[in-house]
Amino acid sequence: MTDYPAIDADGHVREPEDLWQRYVPTALRERAPKKVPGPGAYWLVDGVEVPPRRSYSRTTKDLAASEDRFEPAASVGYSPASQLDAMDVEGIARSVLFPSAGLVIMGVNGVDPAVTTAAARAYNTWLSEFCAEGRGRLFGVAALDPRDVAGAMAEARRAAEAGFVGVFLRPNPVNGLPWHDSAYDPLWSVLQDLDLAVCFHEGGAVRLPQVSTDRFVEHAFWHICTHPMEQQMAMVSIVLGGVASRFPRLRFAFLECGAGWLPYWMWRMDEAVEGEEADFAHLDLPPSGLVSRQCFVSIDSDEEPGIYTLEQLDVAHVVWGSDYPHHDGKFPNALKTVSNLPGMTDAHRRQVVFEAPGALFGPAVGAPTPG
């Protein structure tokens, strides 16, 4: 027992397969995301299949299949009540929710932005309804479609009105634009004004540029690479590209990629700037200072190297996420596992499950336990 609530900064929902067919406007419904019949988690979005089948050609296990430990939730369609039940099993007080299928669907390429913007809006409407049944314990992170900056800005405003605490984007570049391209500045400005956390989240092989999927077909091979490496490159774009300096009140999270790499990456970015100072006059702090001011990463439940990051950082910018109900999460012992990591002090635990999530997502998420 502690005097603070345990906050899951990266939980997931399992969307109903017919979500987009129910929530996308009728005029776009034929082009909206729809599940491909048969084994595996394949989707058609405006006629384009995602994820690419070659990326799973040697996978022996259907990673979307329900495991016995998730059967109670699966039997009721992963309802809001089942989400709360799973949190109670873990000892989690509040959970910030990200998509499952939505992570892959937003990684489609070469489709009409009207379809992907409508898909993001449909997901957000459904998620708002889902969180409304969470008795104040479930918090939504909205999907945005960067293919349509004006549409993303409008959707960010709608998400803030609905009480969402952040937005999510895949770290992969869309339409060849890095995140520091000035085309995104109007979106960053709106998100800063709305005080919404910007959360980059990888997930699944997709049709966007993605490290390692061009050379590995084995799921484990590319999964090892994509999550940290795509996030590292996104951080380079946000930090060295000047986004953090131009929008100093924005908070950026790089989730489900581990935390142990962060001190090295901060040093690596500082080292690059030291050798080419003239190219980085637009930065108001050294890269490591910008990371300390504005960036968050997430420690995995069993990530022992993440303790080194907690020991070295002088700010509480490492959050924890359960990854429930994904197969590589540690449910029903995720919170217990991270709490018992070798070297995890009481102060570190308080940081990763309470202080840092509150700093990232704001007072609605990080409020102390009443009474």
Side-chain angles (χ1 to χ4, degrees), residues 5 29 62 66 99 103 130 194 196 205 215 219-220 260 293 327 368:
R29 198 157 292 168
D62 180 359
S66 176
L103 289 171
F130 187 97
L194 294 172
L196 291 173
R215 68 196 74 180
H219 171 268
R293 186 176 74 189
H327 79 284

Side-chain angles (χ1 to χ4, degrees), residues 276-298:
E276 303 178 43
E277 292 91 342
D279 292 335
F280 296 99
H282 57 282
L283 303 185
D284 65 327
L285 288 173
S288 59
L290 294 169
V291 171
S292 293
R293 186 176 74 189
Q294 292 170 255
C295 297
F296 296 73
V297 296
S298 59

Side-chain angles (χ1 to χ4, degrees), residues 140-177:
V141 173
L144 296 186
D145 179 18
R147 301 156 187 81
D148 174 9
V149 171
M153 292 163 63
E155 194 57 20
R157 295 187 184 99
R158 198 173 74 98
E161 292 174 0
F164 284 21
V165 296
V167 301
F168 94 84
L169 298 161
R170 293 192 59 101
N172 324 87
V174 174
N175 293 336
L177 296 180

Side-chain angles (χ1 to χ4, degrees), residues 177-200:
L177 296 180
W179 293 113
H180 60 277
D181 192 282
S182 61
Y184 292 123
D185 280 3
L187 175 60
W188 302 137
S189 180
V190 165
L191 292 170
Q192 179 172 256
D193 290 343
L194 294 172
D195 197 29
L196 291 173
V198 178
C199 303
F200 290 99

Side-chain angles (χ1 to χ4, degrees), residues 180 230-243 254 265 268-269 280:
H180 60 277
E230 285 293 342
Q231 296 284 40
Q232 289 165 349
M233 289 187 285
M235 182 179 285
V236 166
S237 191
I238 293 296
V239 173
L240 297 192
V243 181
F254 304 85
W265 210 237
R268 181 98 177 145
M269 290 191 291
F280 296 99

Side-chain angles (χ1 to χ4, degrees), residues 58-371:
R58 297 185 188 175
T59 297
T60 58
K61 178 181 180 182
D62 180 359
L63 297 179
S66 176
E67 301 177 31
D68 289 344
R69 58 189 168 134
F70 302 133
E71 194 281 329
S75 67
V76 293
Y78 291 94
S79 67
S82 75
Q83 198 91 22
L84 296 177
D85 289 343
M87 291 163 60
D88 289 341
V89 169
E90 288 273 17
I92 295 168
R94 303 166 195 157
S95 186
V96 180
L97 298 177
F98 291 80
S100 292
L103 289 171
V104 175
I105 288 168
M106 297 312 294
V108 74
N109 201 14
V111 303
D112 185 348
V115 176
T116 43
T117 295
R121 184 179 179 90
Y123 168 78
N124 296 336
T125 299
W126 173 84
L127 183 61
S128 180
E129 296 171 0
F130 187 97
C131 292
E133 298 184 39
R135 303 200 296 273
R137 299 174 61 190
L138 303 179
F139 298 86
V141 173
L144 296 186
D145 179 18
R147 301 156 187 81
D148 174 9
V149 171
M153 292 163 63
E155 194 57 20
R157 295 187 184 99
R158 198 173 74 98
E161 292 174 0
F164 284 21
V165 296
V167 301
F168 94 84
L169 298 161
R170 293 192 59 101
N172 324 87
V174 174
N175 293 336
L177 296 180
W179 293 113
H180 60 277
D181 192 282
S182 61
Y184 292 123
D185 280 3
L187 175 60
W188 302 137
S189 180
V190 165
L191 292 170
Q192 179 172 256
D193 290 343
L194 294 172
D195 197 29
L196 291 173
V198 178
C199 303
F200 290 99
H201 200 303
E202 255 285 9
V206 293
R207 293 190 178 275
L208 297 173
Q210 190 175 41
V211 65
S212 81
T213 55
D214 61 343
R215 68 196 74 180
F216 299 134
V217 296
E218 298 88 348
H219 171 268
F221 286 31
W222 59 254
H223 190 263
I224 289 168
C225 301
T226 56
H227 283 60
M229 294 178 184
E230 285 293 342
Q231 296 284 40
Q232 289 165 349
M233 289 187 285
M235 182 179 285
V236 166
S237 191
I238 293 296
V239 173
L240 297 192
V243 181
S245 290
R246 295 197 298 276
F247 303 95
R249 291 184 287 108
L250 267 182
R251 302 180 301 282
F252 299 95
F254 304 85
L255 300 174
E256 204 170 316
C257 57
W261 55 270
L262 185 61
Y264 166 74
W265 210 237
M266 294 166 73
W267 167 83
R268 181 98 177 145
M269 290 191 291
D270 281 350
E271 184 79 0
V273 169
E274 287 174 9
E276 303 178 43
E277 292 91 342
D279 292 335
F280 296 99
H282 57 282
L283 303 185
D284 65 327
L285 288 173
S288 59
L290 294 169
V291 171
S292 293
R293 186 176 74 189
Q294 292 170 255
C295 297
F296 296 73
V297 296
S298 59
I299 188 170
D300 289 343
S301 295
D302 56 351
E303 187 197 350
E304 294 186 15
I307 297 297
Y308 306 146
T309 298
L310 290 171
E311 293 171 347
Q312 292 191 40
L313 290 187
D314 59 357
V315 291
H317 279 204
V318 178
V319 300
W320 165 76
S322 73
D323 202 30
Y324 174 88
H326 292 174
H327 79 284
D328 46 351
K330 305 305 176 186
F331 178 81
N333 296 306
L335 181 58
K336 182 185 298 183
T337 300
V338 74
S339 299
N340 292 331
L341 280 175
M344 178 68 76
T345 66
D346 291 342
H348 289 158
R349 184 188 188 279
R350 183 183 179 95
Q351 283 186 34
V352 300
V353 304
F354 177 59
E355 292 175 354
L360 173 59
F361 292 114
V365 173
T369 304

